[in-house]
Amino acid sequence: MSKLPSLAAEAWLQEPALQRLFAVLATAGGEGRVAGGAVRNALLGEQVTEVDVATNLSPEQVTAACSAAGMAVHPTGIDHGTVTAVVDHHPYEVTTLRHDLETDGRRAKVKFTGDWETDAQRRDFTMNALYCDAQGRIYDYVNGWADVQARRVIFVGDAEQRITEDYLRILRFFRFHARYGHGAPDAAGLQACMRLKSGLDSLSAERIRQEVFKLMAAPGAVATLQLMAAQGILAHLLPYTEDWSVLERLPPDAVLRLAALASNPLAMTSRWRLSNEEGARLRNMVSHVPPSPTLRPAEQRIILYQLGAGAWRDLVLLAWARSAAPMEDAGWQALLDLPLRWTIPALPVTGHDLLAAGMKPGPDIGIVLKKLEDWWAASDFEPTRDELLKRLT
């Protein structure tokens, strides 16, 4: 077994707020260690965005110690032993070591423990079961460091047991492989996912969307989605197309890739309970004719004005990916960059201007304003306010 490295030099570990939290937990007679993703990412040389702390103190002890030190404490996941301590404006999730007493594939009843190895044994993957103390020393109870080095996504202990504890781990297996894995996925883990894939049907739409969106934004997303399709797993999540080459040509944007992957993109709004913004993006990509480099510049500007920069970008990227044009095509690139070269203007007149010009309030105001806007756009947005009002008279 290779010697474990140290994370003592990591800037996020030396953050004064985090070190203060460690000190408060130690003063209370316990210990805090960074757990999971921050340790994994640091060892992989990837950015650390979230730091979660595990402790052998109970939630009540954590709350009492942090409150006595003047920190705000919120019981954000108290049933599973998690409180959020706000240290000098830095929020840290602090979770008591635990093991699962009872699971139903979606949630668990837990018992708190003071044993670090017991806590490691109930985690999903070995690369997520690493701990790091205040001095940067790493604790590895499940061979996680070797799997991090090899970029292997391996279930802790028995893969089927880990999955039946929470069927979302099937999606996490593929998501982590797409994000961190190299080579073929772990055979034992893959076989367990295949055997238990029907458990995906019990998961909530929100949990599925969250995991699949993260997967679709990962570097190995397309190959992983193909593997999931071949093993009959993707069919449990959505009706899909097999336009893999189109997906490969799209940037790692989950909503954009969903528009190409789903057989009926609009149905995914309710199926996965997408946000209003996500649903609006899908509707724009389905309901508008995409722009093309063959359009005249004035026509391109009219469409961009009508769509807005965000919908324009989505439509151009999707149409470009579906075209036969290479991804270095200058015409398509110029089309995509149009919002950077041309600022979408605002109509120079308003309903107030029409009222001031003598029109009576009523529906005719909107009708006339729309006619003026159409003429203004057809004139390449050049007429001024005075010219528009003159046309009114």
Side-chain angles (χ1 to χ4, degrees):
M1 179 178 177
S2 60
K3 181 181 178 182
L4 291 169
S6 170
L7 297 180
E10 293 288 327
W12 57 265
L13 181 62
Q14 298 306 323
E15 182 68 41
L18 180 57
Q19 288 294 324
R20 183 182 170 208
L21 177 59
F22 284 143
V24 167
L25 297 176
T27 301
E31 181 184 10
R33 297 177 187 172
V34 177
V39 181
R40 175 200 66 226
N41 281 20
L43 292 173
L44 288 169
E46 307 222 1
Q47 183 180 10
V48 172
T49 57
E50 286 187 12
V51 176
D52 295 327
V53 175
T55 182
N56 52 3
L57 296 176
S58 71
E60 294 76 17
Q61 290 173 310
V62 174
T63 299
C66 291
S67 297
M71 303 171 183
V73 185
H74 308 284
T76 45
I78 197 67
D79 289 344
H80 293 90
T82 300
V83 300
T84 297
V86 183
V87 190
D88 302 329
H89 306 291
H90 292 263
Y92 294 101
E93 285 194 355
V94 184
T95 302
T96 300
L97 305 180
R98 65 184 193 259
H99 64 90
D100 297 334
L101 292 178
E102 182 180 327
T103 61
D104 64 2
R106 291 184 297 172
R107 59 186 70 85
K109 292 182 179 179
V110 303
K111 180 179 181 180
F112 301 135
T113 179
D115 186 73
W116 293 92
E117 184 169 359
T118 297
D119 186 78
Q121 292 290 345
R122 60 97 192 161
R123 292 180 178 262
D124 53 5
F125 308 116
T126 59
M127 63 168 53
N128 293 338
L130 295 163
Y131 306 83
C132 163
D133 66 17
Q135 291 74 44
R137 179 184 175 186
I138 293 174
Y139 297 82
D140 180 7
Y141 304 100
V142 293
N143 200 42
W145 167 231
D147 292 333
V148 165
Q149 289 179 294
R151 288 185 173 265
R152 294 187 299 252
V153 181
I154 307 290
F155 283 100
V156 174
D158 181 72
E160 290 202 5
Q161 181 180 344
R162 294 287 82 78
I163 291 172
T164 55
E165 290 167 352
D166 186 351
Y167 288 107
L168 191 72
R169 287 174 173 170
I170 295 175
L171 299 185
R172 287 174 62 82
F173 175 78
F174 290 105
R175 193 249 291 184
F176 276 85
H177 178 71
R179 178 69 180 83
Y180 300 109
H182 278 178
D186 173 59
L190 180 60
Q191 289 296 320
C193 290
M194 290 167 55
R195 285 192 292 269
L196 298 171
K197 60 190 175 185
S198 62
L200 292 169
D201 300 335
S202 67
L203 297 177
S204 69
E206 292 87 351
R207 297 184 82 202
I208 291 174
R209 180 194 63 81
Q210 185 178 43
E211 283 299 321
V212 178
F213 269 28
K214 289 178 180 177
L215 190 162
M216 289 202 289
V222 179
T224 302
L225 289 168
Q226 285 181 275
L227 174 64
M228 294 169 69
Q231 304 303 333
I233 291 171
L234 194 58
H236 283 267
L237 308 177
L238 77 166
Y240 60 90
T241 69
E242 294 193 349
D243 294 333
W244 306 118
S245 61
V246 173
L247 283 176
E248 195 72 68
R249 284 159 60 91
L250 289 169
D253 179 309
V255 177
L256 196 59
R257 283 181 164 173
L258 180 59
L261 177 65
S263 299
N264 183 356
L266 291 182
M268 300 310 299
T269 301
S270 58
R271 184 183 180 113
W272 281 1
R273 299 181 185 175
L274 303 184
S275 69
N276 291 338
E277 180 185 354
E278 292 162 348
R281 286 184 65 190
L282 286 179
R283 284 193 300 275
N284 281 329
M285 283 184 270
V286 170
S287 60
H288 291 100
V289 177
S292 160
T294 59
L295 294 171
R296 292 175 298 174
E299 293 172 326
Q300 294 178 13
R301 287 190 285 270
I302 288 176
I303 296 173
L304 173 55
Y305 172 78
Q306 294 170 338
L307 292 175
W312 172 272
R313 174 187 175 275
D314 286 343
L315 280 164
V316 171
L317 286 170
L318 193 56
W320 189 357
R322 285 171 170 163
S323 76
M327 297 312 294
E328 301 79 24
D329 186 90
W332 279 101
Q333 188 63 55
L335 198 68
L336 182 64
D337 293 341
L338 180 58
L340 303 178
R341 303 192 312 273
W342 183 71
T343 301
I344 299 174
L347 182 64
V349 296
T350 66
H352 293 294
D353 293 321
L354 302 192
L355 291 171
M359 283 193 66
K360 295 180 180 180
D364 285 348
I365 291 285
I367 294 171
V368 172
L369 200 61
K370 182 65 173 67
K371 289 182 178 180
L372 288 175
E373 183 181 32
D374 289 344
W375 176 73
W376 175 66
S379 302
D380 205 12
F381 308 96
E382 292 181 355
T384 64
R385 177 177 178 276
D386 289 341
E387 288 172 322
L388 285 165
L389 291 175
K390 184 177 180 180
R391 184 173 181 84
L392 174 67
T393 60

